[in-house]
Amino acid sequence: MKADLSDLNAFVAVARAKGFRDGARAGGGSASGLSEAVRRLEAQLGVRLLNRTTRSVAVTEAGQRLLDRLGPALLEVETALDVVNSFRDRPAGTLRLNVPVSASRLILPTIVPPFLAAYPEIRLEVVAEESFVDVLAAGCDAGIRYDERLEQDMIAVPIGPRVQRFAAAAATAYLDRAGRPAHPRDLLGHACLLGRFASGALTTPWEFERDGEVVRVDPAGPLIVSVGGAIDLAVEAAIAGSGIISLFEGWLRPHLDSGALEPVLETWWQSFPGPFLYYPGRRLVPAPLRAFLDFIKAGHRA
């Protein structure tokens, strides 16, 4: 059975976006065109791939199985077609990156604008999320992760600062009211603002280190936010005096510099290695990704 490649691409776009409008927005087509393509594919296959309501689109079991196989396959097709890019004066095409929200906030802003200026024929698509996905299955060319999250068969290239720190901070008004912790264990008596990963796990224990001594504490507090999209809410709550927050130093630095937040236990802030851009080593590197790698290796690491 042969299916039209454009219809398969339409199905993948809608399934990943969980909607025809968002799929069209991501792919540059029209919602009606995607809808017709998916209907045509379902009619040809004789099976429903998507459950549609007036408000949402959900992938059926058959659709999910097809999506799991199509993602990597279509990426290989793109890679094969990308071979002709080597005959162009300038690389062109789409580069898809899967990154944590922290990287989209702290690493990419100083890299993306000059990269797009240097390669105007490349379209960059960035998916920021906290769940750890198979970049190929997700239809992405590469991702950004920290060392402990890298898979064994991936090629990793340093990106961003090579040393980062976790910082703890609170509003001066809160510390004047509740007292300033002198030791990490003092946090157990404070209101702490926490995060929750998509897996359901909390962003605890908080870890501190000084002179070789590592201290882990499990604080509690009045606010728990989802890691990624709601972290700014926790930052604003800390600024408003709701409690102590622990986060990437780079995320809190503007508020520390402005005085909106005051450092807490600064001599205990723990350092950790910076992130890596990673991609599968078992396939040809698409021209847009090769251009991005060369750009990073040339020193544009943030």
Side-chain angles (χ1 to χ4, degrees):
M1 179 183 297
K2 292 184 178 180
D4 188 278
L5 187 59
S6 62
D7 291 350
L8 293 173
N9 275 309
F11 162 68
V12 171
V14 174
R16 284 179 178 156
K18 296 181 173 60
F20 289 96
R21 288 184 180 179
D22 288 342
R25 192 175 295 115
S30 69
S32 60
L34 291 182
S35 179
E36 179 58 33
V38 172
R39 287 197 189 96
R40 192 163 51 240
L41 182 61
E42 288 178 326
Q44 184 177 12
L45 297 177
V47 63
R48 181 178 290 275
L49 301 174
L50 300 173
N51 287 321
R52 308 161 178 81
T53 70
T54 55
R55 294 188 176 184
S56 65
V57 171
V59 183
T60 65
E61 181 180 358
Q64 186 61 52
R65 292 193 179 186
L66 179 61
L67 181 63
D68 290 343
R69 299 294 295 272
L70 271 181
L74 290 176
L75 199 57
E76 289 299 327
V77 171
E78 288 187 17
T79 301
L81 294 175
D82 187 68
V83 169
V84 301
N85 247 328
S86 61
F87 295 93
R88 299 172 57 95
D89 293 333
R90 302 174 65 84
T94 299
L95 170 61
R96 299 181 183 89
L97 301 179
N98 183 281
V99 308
V101 174
S102 59
S104 69
R105 177 71 176 266
L106 305 177
I107 306 298
L108 293 181
T110 57
I111 296 176
V112 167
F115 173 75
L116 294 178
Y119 297 96
E121 296 183 48
I122 291 179
R123 179 190 185 200
L124 179 62
E125 181 177 338
V126 178
V127 179
E129 57 185 356
E130 293 303 318
S131 57
F132 299 103
V133 302
D134 181 327
V135 290
L136 284 181
C140 294
D141 301 290
I144 294 178
R145 291 290 182 267
Y146 287 86
D147 189 51
E148 70 274 11
R149 297 290 185 178
L150 292 176
E151 298 178 27
Q152 293 295 324
D153 60 345
M154 294 290 176
I155 296 175
V157 177
I159 186 172
R162 299 325 304 145
V163 177
Q164 294 181 276
R165 291 197 300 177
F166 281 117
T172 297
Y174 170 84
L175 296 172
D176 288 344
R177 181 176 73 250
R180 287 165 174 78
H183 189 277
R185 283 189 286 272
D186 294 341
L187 294 172
L188 297 176
H190 279 267
C192 294
L193 312 177
L194 308 177
R196 189 184 297 279
F197 293 106
S199 66
L202 290 173
T203 54
T204 56
W206 287 2
E207 195 165 288
F208 298 85
E209 184 175 1
R210 187 173 70 180
D211 298 330
E213 178 187 4
V214 177
V215 178
R216 298 177 180 87
V217 294
D218 284 292
L223 178 65
I224 299 174
V225 302
S226 61
V227 171
I231 287 295
D232 281 332
L233 172 60
V235 174
E236 292 302 321
I239 293 172
S242 299
I244 298 175
I245 189 170
S246 177
L247 196 58
F248 289 95
E249 180 183 2
W251 206 310
L252 298 179
R253 177 50 58 190
H255 307 296
L256 293 167
D257 290 344
S258 71
L261 291 175
E262 180 180 321
V264 171
L265 298 168
E266 187 169 7
T267 60
W268 286 89
W269 289 359
Q270 188 178 56
S271 299
F272 57 95
F276 295 86
L277 178 76
Y278 75 100
Y279 60 98
R282 61 180 182 273
R283 55 189 289 263
L284 292 174
V285 177
L289 176 56
R290 171 53 59 195
F292 193 69
L293 288 168
D294 291 343
F295 192 77
I296 297 302
K297 291 176 180 178
H300 302 277
R301 296 181 177 178

